[in-house]
Amino acid sequence: MNAIEVDNVTKVYRRYARRKQFATLKSALLTGSLIQDLQPDEKFPALQGVSFTVPAGSTYGVIGRNGSGKSTVLKLVAGITKPTSGTVAVQGRVSALIELGAGFHPEISGRENVFINGIMLGLTKREVTKRFDEIVEFAELRDFIDAPVKTYSSGMYMRLGFAVAIHVDPDVLLVDEVLAVGDEGFTHKCLDKFGEFKRRGKTILLVTHSLGLVERFCDEALWLDKGAVRSGGDPKRVVDAYLTDVERTEETQLAAAEESAQPDTTIQTPEDQSQSVEGRWGSREVEIVDVALKNGEGQPSHIFQSGERMSVQLKVHAKAAVKDFVFGIGISTAEGVTCYGTNTEIEHFESEELRGDGEVTFTIDTLDLVEGTYKLDVAVHKRDGYPYDYHRFLYTFRVKSRTDEVGIYRPRHSWAFSSSIKTSIRA
């Protein structure tokens, strides 16, 4: 039995030109433009032919970029809006955690708002009274429940809305990116509540950007892209396909940004060449004519997995033969914190001669950095530091990781436990 059935659903929204928001009924009647002004300038398809089913008692995740139609799906299933075409069928009582606290009145107390909101969500006054203490305890608002809601912080407001919605005891729970409604402890409490819902055989439809949550909680997943279904099925497979697509898009964006950086533009040589100044400087007696980052397969890339092989390939040109030259590489965070730097002089390479065109490749066998955005510096200079060609912060790459670590460096490591300590790997 399916708790949710979405069949070939299309949802079209209308867009109106900004100028029309200032038109009045009187002016439209006087000018005879009423019919014309009521016509939309553009129609925008938020969903196009979307179909999926959610079996009763399962947890189903919906992922995708902003604007892909995820929230529209939830609003259709919740009955907040209707499809332009296609059908949506839902079995059982529905509670939607889409806009927490919708219907709360700022001038009255939290206590009164709990009753009003609970009744709006389908409970009777007696049922709200029975669950009232549990709702307040879950929201952690015992000392503030009789204060006007307008005096609540945003976190308190959202926690109360979450607590009311979650205690409706629905057959189908719709969740739209609402886990950031409190501190770490409250977030864990929300996740425990979802776990309880799963154990009790409730149906959950979850929209989120937290891909780890989808892999951990969901039985199936759906990937929406520009209002259409890109993939569906096993959560890990769907998440992996989505991440691959995101990385492909980021690769294109980083390559375009690098091209627009225009490294041919020369700035005055800084007094301290180690300072955080973006640009290119030097005499150009030896010139770096091309910089390419390549992955472990030798393909140009700006996106790397933590621990992956990365090579930096420099193409250089000497206008005349030179005997004094040093090649340098530096890696920094996007904020300018140096992660690593080296050069051929430090590593005891003796320069002998550089004539005409040449190529230098610097290879990192394992890029042991935590996830983040990094900047690459490349340079060729004399042993005394005199710059031939220095490129500072002109090249960007990203490191990806499925592990949420902090810092910069990710050393190769392992954990060991004595027999008295029991652990397991979380899925």
Side-chain angles (χ1 to χ4, degrees):
M1 175 183 171
N2 293 323
I4 302 171
E5 294 183 358
V6 176
D7 184 26
N8 197 28
V9 165
T10 294
K11 177 63 180 177
V12 177
Y13 289 105
R14 297 179 179 131
R15 286 177 178 165
Y16 294 87
R18 175 169 292 200
R19 59 182 172 78
K20 291 183 180 176
Q21 67 181 340
F22 303 108
T24 65
L25 178 61
K26 179 180 179 181
S27 64
L29 290 171
L30 290 174
T31 59
S33 62
L34 180 60
I35 302 300
Q36 179 182 343
D37 282 356
L38 289 175
Q39 295 296 318
D41 293 271
E42 186 181 356
K43 292 183 178 180
F44 171 70
L47 295 175
Q48 304 176 72
V50 172
S51 298
F52 65 91
T53 59
V54 181
S58 67
T59 301
Y60 197 91
V62 182
I63 63 174
R65 294 180 175 86
N66 290 329
S68 61
K70 304 185 302 297
S71 295
T72 301
V73 165
L74 250 63
K75 289 177 180 178
L76 288 167
V77 174
I80 295 172
T81 187
K82 299 295 182 184
T84 305
S85 63
T87 59
V88 178
V90 184
Q91 304 297 324
R93 173 187 279 179
V94 176
S95 181
L97 305 182
I98 297 176
E99 296 180 16
L100 293 180
F104 278 6
H105 195 295
E107 299 295 335
I108 62 178
S109 69
R111 181 184 298 274
E112 293 167 305
N113 271 300
V114 167
F115 277 89
I116 293 172
N117 212 247
I119 291 170
M120 287 173 60
L121 290 172
L123 297 179
T124 65
K125 185 176 181 180
R126 178 176 294 179
E127 287 174 323
V128 177
T129 301
K130 183 179 179 181
R131 303 175 193 184
F132 180 81
D133 289 341
E134 190 176 351
I135 291 171
V136 175
E137 194 67 33
F138 189 91
E140 302 172 2
L141 292 174
R142 177 69 61 187
D143 296 335
F144 305 96
I145 196 62
D146 290 310
V149 166
K150 68 180 181 182
T151 64
Y152 287 8
S153 68
S154 58
M156 295 164 68
Y157 188 91
M158 300 298 275
R159 291 205 312 267
L160 187 59
F162 186 96
V164 173
I166 205 79
H167 284 87
V168 170
D169 194 26
D171 300 303
V172 178
L173 179 65
L174 311 179
V175 186
D176 187 3
E177 202 66 74
V178 294
L179 292 181
V181 295
D183 55 25
E184 190 75 10
F186 189 77
T187 299
H188 286 307
K189 187 188 291 189
C190 296
L191 293 175
D192 290 343
K193 197 68 176 179
F194 288 152
E196 178 191 327
F197 266 59
K198 273 183 70 77
R199 292 192 300 273
R200 292 170 56 197
K202 304 291 185 177
T203 304
I204 302 174
L205 182 59
L206 172 69
V207 162
T208 183
H209 290 289
S210 176
L211 304 180
L213 188 65
V214 171
E215 290 182 321
R216 179 181 172 188
F217 272 97
C218 295
D219 302 301
E220 289 187 76
L222 182 76
W223 169 21
L224 290 178
D225 185 31
K226 298 178 181 177
V229 176
R230 283 286 297 272
S231 182
D234 176 69
K236 189 176 188 322
R237 180 180 59 80
V238 173
V239 167
D240 286 345
Y242 172 65
L243 286 174
T244 299
D245 187 72
V246 169
E247 290 175 7
R248 190 179 298 118
T249 301
E250 289 181 346
E251 172 69 36
T252 302
Q253 292 171 344
L254 287 173
E258 182 177 295
E259 187 175 342
S260 66
Q262 298 179 342
D264 285 336
T265 303
T266 302
I267 65 173
Q268 184 176 356
T269 303
E271 291 184 11
D272 180 1
Q273 295 186 51
S274 65
Q275 65 182 343
S276 299
V277 176
E278 179 178 322
R280 181 181 188 180
W281 61 85
S283 67
R284 303 288 184 93
E285 294 165 73
V286 179
E287 186 174 2
I288 300 173
V289 296
D290 185 66
V291 179
L293 285 77
K294 296 189 176 182
N295 59 25
E297 298 176 352
Q299 298 300 313
S301 180
H302 294 80
I303 306 293
F304 300 87
Q305 297 299 319
S306 182
E308 186 180 0
R309 183 185 181 94
M310 182 181 87
S311 296
V312 181
Q313 188 179 80
L314 309 180
K315 291 183 179 180
V316 298
H317 174 76
K319 296 179 179 178
V322 296
K323 296 183 180 297
D324 183 356
F325 56 89
V326 176
F327 295 102
I329 295 287
I331 296 175
S332 306
T333 66
E335 295 78 24
V337 178
T338 300
C339 305
Y340 179 71
T342 190
N343 64 43
T344 52
E345 172 72 10
I346 292 173
E347 300 195 28
H348 308 295
F349 286 90
E350 291 286 345
S351 60
E352 295 180 358
E353 185 178 69
L354 169 57
R355 184 189 300 271
D357 294 327
E359 190 173 291
V360 180
T361 302
F362 175 79
T363 301
I364 300 175
D365 289 328
T366 58
L367 188 62
D368 293 329
L369 298 173
V370 302
E371 181 168 275
T373 300
Y374 296 88
K375 293 288 186 177
L376 175 72
D377 296 349
V378 296
V380 55
H381 53 83
K382 288 185 177 182
R383 284 190 294 272
D384 64 5
Y386 172 81
Y388 291 131
D389 199 0
Y390 203 117
H391 297 201
R392 178 71 163 164
F393 291 163
L394 294 180
Y395 309 98
T396 303
F397 66 94
R398 288 203 180 116
V399 175
K400 297 288 187 177
S401 175
R402 299 299 292 274
T403 306
D404 296 327
E405 296 163 312
V406 296
I408 297 173
Y409 173 53
R410 187 178 192 270
R412 296 301 175 96
H413 62 275
S414 62
W415 294 87
F417 305 96
S418 66
S419 58
S420 61
I421 302 175
K422 304 297 183 183
T423 66
S424 61
I425 300 297
R426 185 174 64 243

